[in-house]
Amino acid sequence: MTLGALRTSIARFPLVAATVAAGLVVAVLLAASQESAAQWLASAYALLVAVFRSGAMVKSLLRGRWGIDLLALTAIASTVAVGEYVAALIIVLMLAGGEALEEIAQGRATRELRSLLERVPQTAHRELPGMPPEDIPAGEVRPGDILLVKPSEVVPVDGLLLSATGAFDESTLTGESLPAEHVEGDALLSGSVNGEDAVHMKATSTAKDSQYSQIVALVQEAAASRPPVVRLADRYAVPFTLLAFALAGVGWYFSGDPVRFAQVLVVATPCPLLIAAPVAFLAGTSRAAQAGIIIKNGGTLEQLARVRTAVFDKTGTLTHGRPTLHGVWVPQAARGMISEDRLLQLAASAEQYSSHVLASSVIDAARHRGLDLLPGSNATEHATQGVTASCGGRTVVVGKPDFVRSVASGFEEADLGGGQLAVYVGVDGRFAGALIMSDPLRANAVDTLAYLRRLGIQDTLLLTGDAPATAQKIAAQAGISRFQASCLPGDKVSVVAGLRERPVMMVGDGVNDAPVLAAADVGVAMGAKGSTAASESADVVIMLDDLSKAALAVDIGQRTIRIALASIWTGILLSIGLMIAAVFGYIPAVAGALLQELVDLATILNALRALRGGGGGRPTAVGGTRVSVGAAR
């Protein structure tokens, strides 16, 4: 260790440094045959620390945590009283060292969480016409600004890539270690790191509203929470303290030696209760963040571990939520009037003026076929029904069947397969045909459901606003045991509230999922591409657009709880075993203090196992069966 590192350690852990210094002085005095001076120094120092710590003990008593410091301070006082001054000094070192070890362990456990905060974008390079880039604070960026992102710089705000190509490290956001390749027009997330080439981008949000700021806020919320299992550990301290005092009293009574009382209390210091659960939960939360899963509060980890029912939305969750063109249908009566490509071109040109989710899919399909979008005028969007516009000298209406039927003569229903939907088109007052759309099942949906079953979640349910035929098809393809179709947002809330097998985990992504995510015991939002409303209502936000992360979150929760409880009980049982041995006089005070320190170390190391991945079987984001499914306009 260098001199600088030594100074840093002393400044960081002053009580540890002072106790080590006192121990060295005591050792020197003992070597010089000055035992009385050594005893006086060690006893005075130990009692001084005990008096200093008594303030924290009183605060703990007022908070109901009376078992933590009470045992430790009683152990210090009793060892000083019976002349076991070396043991008293070791207990002080054990307390100070335990707190230092906990802080070090928490530092390791929160490494991924802190890395988010350390990479908050500070500066942006804004470009103005005819002027060199100017450096401005990231907080001053406004939507529409053109920004230069230099090599290895952090993307300051959400935006669109203007350069032809770009490679970005999104590992802090999504957990994906490989660079993400983007092309012109692709969305860029704030907090991602640019590759080796400078790129240009157009800002689409302010820094405050960008994805990265939302992640930081979620992380800070998670760090501020205190999980129930930590409070449970506090409750374990009450009977543990009573048992320790009882065993110490029994040892004193039957031996007639007050030293026995001190020997028992030395090995009874409940540091495992203080350390194990917080370290395990921080490690579990950090492990989740590393995988692109933000767990917003500590209690959610315990709920995830106990989930018995998993409920899924369909569009954007089990499916990609972006329907693709399956085909263009022109009825026999209109084939002399319009071709398939012309029908698609006119529909896409009108959909430029619609905000509906299907509009972008229709536009993408036209562009994929190399069709130019026509300029339009007199455009009107009819909420949830469709859009009308004048394009290429033609009056075009696009939307739901009843809407198109009301303004176009000769309407015919399209023949749809399972899971398909139709976007109907009218031209100049006559029915012209339909665009047959489908929304494919996510490639890893089947594996994700199988993964959840291996984790013990047998009851699965699909809730969707789609027709029963579509819901039945998707549920069967994904391996979901039950489904309920034609659900409004309020219906979904009622269904989730009425489920008997609890806790219930609800996975969704859209704005209309926000109420049911809030109503579930654990709401999981596909937040990377989903809505802010859903992300705010959820307990877990998945930053990567990967359904399997929902199952991974359950896996991490189960593993974290197992490790936390195992660490607590390991510490308790080891301490009880040492106390029983001390009752019979087999463990001297000094040896007991050293053994208790080993118990603390074992507890911390075991709790840190939550940082590592658990069992296998995680589904991948590739492979599986792609099927045609629908999404209602």
Side-chain angles (χ1 to χ4, degrees):
M1 178 182 292
T2 64
L3 182 60
L6 179 61
R7 288 175 179 172
T8 301
S9 298
I10 292 174
R12 187 179 177 188
F13 308 115
L15 185 57
V16 174
T19 306
V20 170
L24 291 174
V25 174
V26 168
V28 170
L29 291 174
L30 289 175
S33 300
Q34 299 292 322
E35 184 173 356
S36 60
Q39 181 174 354
W40 181 88
L41 175 62
S43 299
Y45 177 78
L47 290 175
L48 182 64
V49 172
V51 170
F52 178 76
R53 290 295 297 264
S54 63
M57 182 188 73
V58 171
K59 292 180 181 178
S60 295
L61 289 172
L62 294 177
R63 292 197 301 264
R65 300 178 65 190
W66 64 280
I68 299 298
D69 282 333
L70 184 60
L71 272 178
L73 298 185
T74 305
I76 292 173
S78 61
T79 48
V80 170
V82 299
E84 292 284 356
Y85 59 93
V86 175
L89 205 59
I90 294 176
I91 294 172
V92 173
L93 181 62
M94 177 180 64
L95 287 175
E99 291 173 350
L101 286 173
E102 180 184 6
E103 184 174 335
I104 292 171
Q106 288 179 343
R108 181 187 170 192
T110 57
R111 182 170 53 207
E112 284 77 17
L113 300 183
R114 286 187 290 108
S115 69
L116 288 172
L117 303 178
E118 291 168 356
R119 293 172 64 177
V120 173
Q122 302 293 332
T123 305
H125 312 297
R126 182 168 58 191
E127 293 187 323
L128 298 174
M131 298 179 62
E134 62 172 341
D135 292 346
I136 61 172
E140 294 183 8
V141 175
R142 294 293 176 263
D145 285 349
I146 305 302
L147 305 177
L148 170 68
V149 185
K150 297 179 181 179
S152 301
E153 280 192 339
V154 177
V155 176
V157 297
D158 293 348
L160 299 176
L161 181 63
L162 298 181
S163 300
T165 60
F168 298 84
D169 177 4
E170 299 178 349
S171 58
T172 304
L173 301 170
T174 66
E176 176 56 59
S177 59
L178 296 176
E181 301 285 345
H182 291 296
V183 297
E184 183 179 357
D186 283 356
L188 300 182
L189 295 178
S190 59
S192 56
V193 179
N194 187 23
E196 299 178 353
D197 299 320
V199 298
H200 296 83
M201 63 173 287
K202 180 180 180 180
T204 57
S205 70
T206 63
K208 181 180 178 181
D209 296 329
S210 288
Q211 185 75 27
Y212 201 75
S213 295
Q214 295 176 28
I215 297 173
V216 170
L218 294 178
V219 170
Q220 290 173 330
E221 181 181 346
S225 68
R226 189 162 183 248
V229 76
V230 178
R231 296 192 291 269
L232 186 63
D234 293 339
R235 291 199 296 270
Y236 286 157
V238 176
F240 182 85
T241 300
L242 296 177
L243 176 63
F245 279 123
L247 289 175
V250 169
W252 186 358
Y253 177 79
F254 285 103
S255 68
D257 185 359
V259 174
R260 194 67 55 83
F261 181 86
Q263 290 173 342
V264 174
L265 290 188
V266 164
V267 296
T269 306
C271 285
L273 298 180
L274 183 67
I275 295 172
V279 171
F281 268 76
L282 282 169
T285 303
S286 179
R287 167 80 181 92
Q290 190 179 27
I293 304 167
I294 303 298
I295 297 175
K296 293 167 62 173
N297 58 76
T300 299
L301 270 172
E302 187 176 26
Q303 289 284 67
L304 281 169
R306 299 189 299 111
V307 164
R308 290 295 173 265
T309 302
V311 183
F312 295 88
D313 175 52
K314 182 185 74 66
T315 305
T317 303
L318 288 174
T319 69
H320 290 278
R322 190 175 180 84
T324 57
L325 182 67
H326 180 76
V328 179
W329 172 65
V330 178
Q332 187 68 36
R335 287 182 183 173
M337 178 184 76
I338 195 168
S339 67
E340 291 186 3
D341 282 352
R342 181 62 172 172
L343 177 67
L344 177 57
Q345 182 185 42
L346 290 174
S349 299
E351 290 279 43
Q352 293 178 96
Y353 306 99
S354 172
S355 60
H356 193 272
V357 63
L358 289 176
S360 59
S361 297
V362 173
I363 294 170
D364 287 347
R367 286 174 172 163
H368 183 71
R369 290 197 181 189
L371 303 175
D372 294 328
L373 299 186
L374 305 173
S377 61
N378 302 321
T380 303
E381 182 171 19
H382 305 266
T384 75
Q385 296 299 312
V387 63
T388 58
S390 296
C391 305
R394 314 291 289 271
T395 300
V396 183
V397 56
V398 185
K400 287 184 175 180
D402 289 343
F403 175 65
V404 176
R405 181 187 287 113
S406 67
V407 296
S409 62
F411 182 86
E412 297 181 36
E413 288 275 1
D415 184 17
L416 300 178
Q420 294 179 341
L421 65 97
V423 176
Y424 291 90
V425 185
V427 178
D428 292 337
R430 295 182 59 185
F431 178 64
L435 309 178
I436 311 302
M437 312 293 290
S438 63
D439 187 9
L441 189 73
R442 288 182 184 269
N444 61 357
V446 175
D447 289 339
T448 298
L449 269 296
Y451 187 8
L452 287 171
R453 285 192 291 272
R454 289 195 297 272
L455 293 172
I457 301 175
Q458 301 299 325
D459 191 10
T460 53
L461 173 64
L462 169 64
L463 295 180
T464 177
D466 281 346
T470 299
Q472 182 178 19
K473 184 179 183 70
I474 290 299
Q477 297 257 349
I480 294 178
S481 55
R482 295 184 291 144
F483 71 90
Q484 187 155 331
S486 305
C487 292
L488 297 174
D491 298 329
K492 293 181 180 181
V493 172
S494 299
V495 171
V496 168
L499 293 173
R500 302 182 64 180
E501 289 292 324
R502 309 194 79 89
V504 173
M505 176 179 74
M506 173 70 198
V507 186
D509 82 318
V511 174
N512 62 346
D513 294 328
V516 70
L517 289 175
D521 299 306
V522 181
V524 179
M526 307 285 285
K529 305 277 191 281
S531 73
T532 301
S535 299
E536 289 177 351
S537 301
D539 304 294
V540 178
V541 179
I542 297 174
M543 306 314 303
L544 189 64
D545 194 23
D546 181 355
L547 180 64
S548 70
K549 300 287 188 179
L552 180 59
V554 174
D555 195 353
I556 290 173
Q558 291 183 354
R559 177 175 168 79
T560 300
I561 293 298
R562 284 198 305 269
I563 290 173
L565 293 178
S567 298
I568 290 172
W569 280 108
T570 296
I572 289 176
L573 294 176
L574 287 174
S575 295
I576 290 175
L578 292 175
M579 282 191 290
I580 293 174
V583 166
F584 292 98
Y586 292 124
I587 302 180
V590 174
L594 294 173
L595 287 172
Q596 183 61 42
E597 186 68 19
L598 292 177
V599 171
D600 293 347
L601 183 60
T603 299
I604 291 175
L605 293 176
N606 187 67
L608 281 174
R609 290 192 301 116
L611 274 172
R612 301 192 297 272
R618 179 189 169 195
T620 61
V622 295
T625 304
R626 300 177 67 87
V627 298
S628 295
V629 296
R633 186 174 183 109

